């Protein structure tokens, strides 16, 4: 099964406060055939995109300049939009309610992103 074909057209909200990391994620998503929603570097901006933009899933930096991403995770969960956390701390920085959510351990590679997005796409079509 071709991973890229599976991800073609997937609309992914990117929430990341470090510009270089955000650009890298955007490039990876483009290479995988996904459509980037955002990116957002602040929580308020990300919340607005989550409410108004069409998206299939999201990749969320756990910590946006010292502000936790959890209000956005709660909003996405309410909307039924699957998401993965991107963090350098693994699941150690997650709340109990978020344990079991996909986690991309920073730094991650395109193959790791593709694998997690495949899991999220499966969740959107379930």
């Amino acid at each position: 099964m071709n991973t890229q074909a599976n991800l073609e057209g997937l609309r992914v909200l990117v929430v990341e406060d470090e510009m270089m990391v955000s650009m890298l994620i955007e490039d990876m998503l483009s290479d995988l055939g996904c459509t980037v929603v955002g990116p957002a570097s602040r929580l308020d901006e990300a919340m607005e995109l989550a409410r108004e933009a069409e998206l299939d899933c999201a990749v969320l930096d756990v910590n946006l300049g010292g502000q936790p991403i959890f209000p956005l995770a709660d909003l996405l969960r309410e909307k039924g939009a699957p998401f993965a956390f991107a963090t350098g701390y693994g699941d150690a920085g997650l709340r109990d309610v978020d344990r079991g959510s996909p986690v991309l351990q920073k730094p991650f590679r395109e193959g790791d992103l593709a694998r997690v997005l495949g899991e999220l796409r499966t969740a959107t079509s379930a």
Side-chain angles (χ1 to χ4, degrees), residues 1-79:
M1 189 184 286
N2 182 340
T3 302
Q4 185 165 345
N6 271 349
L7 301 176
E8 193 73 37
L10 191 69
R11 295 169 302 213
V12 183
L13 172 61
V14 175
V15 182
E16 171 60 59
D17 63 342
E18 293 185 38
M19 186 173 35
M20 293 304 292
V21 175
S22 179
M23 290 169 59
L24 182 62
I25 294 171
E26 289 177 71
D27 287 347
M28 289 181 193
L29 289 170
S30 293
D31 289 348
L32 293 168
C34 300
T35 300
V36 175
V37 178
S41 60
R42 296 183 330 270
L43 182 60
D44 60 338
E45 180 183 22
M47 295 287 283
E48 184 176 333
L49 281 170
R51 286 187 192 103
E52 297 177 8
E54 282 190 52
L55 58 98
D56 297 307
C57 60
V59 175
L60 310 177
D61 182 2
V62 172
N63 185 338
L64 295 177
Q67 191 171 28
I69 196 70
F70 302 125
L72 178 58
D74 293 340
L75 174 62
L76 292 171
R77 194 174 282 115
E78 286 172 22
K79 288 183 68 165

Side-chain angles (χ1 to χ4, degrees), residues 74-116:
D74 293 340
L75 174 62
L76 292 171
R77 194 174 282 115
E78 286 172 22
K79 288 183 68 165
F83 55 87
F85 292 107
T87 178
Y89 303 103
D91 65 1
L94 301 182
R95 305 173 297 177
D96 286 343
V97 69
D98 298 312
R99 301 231 186 258
S101 297
V103 174
L104 283 161
Q105 178 73 37
K106 288 181 179 178
F108 54 86
R109 296 178 180 198
E110 190 172 301
D112 301 321
L113 181 60
R115 177 185 47 78
V116 166

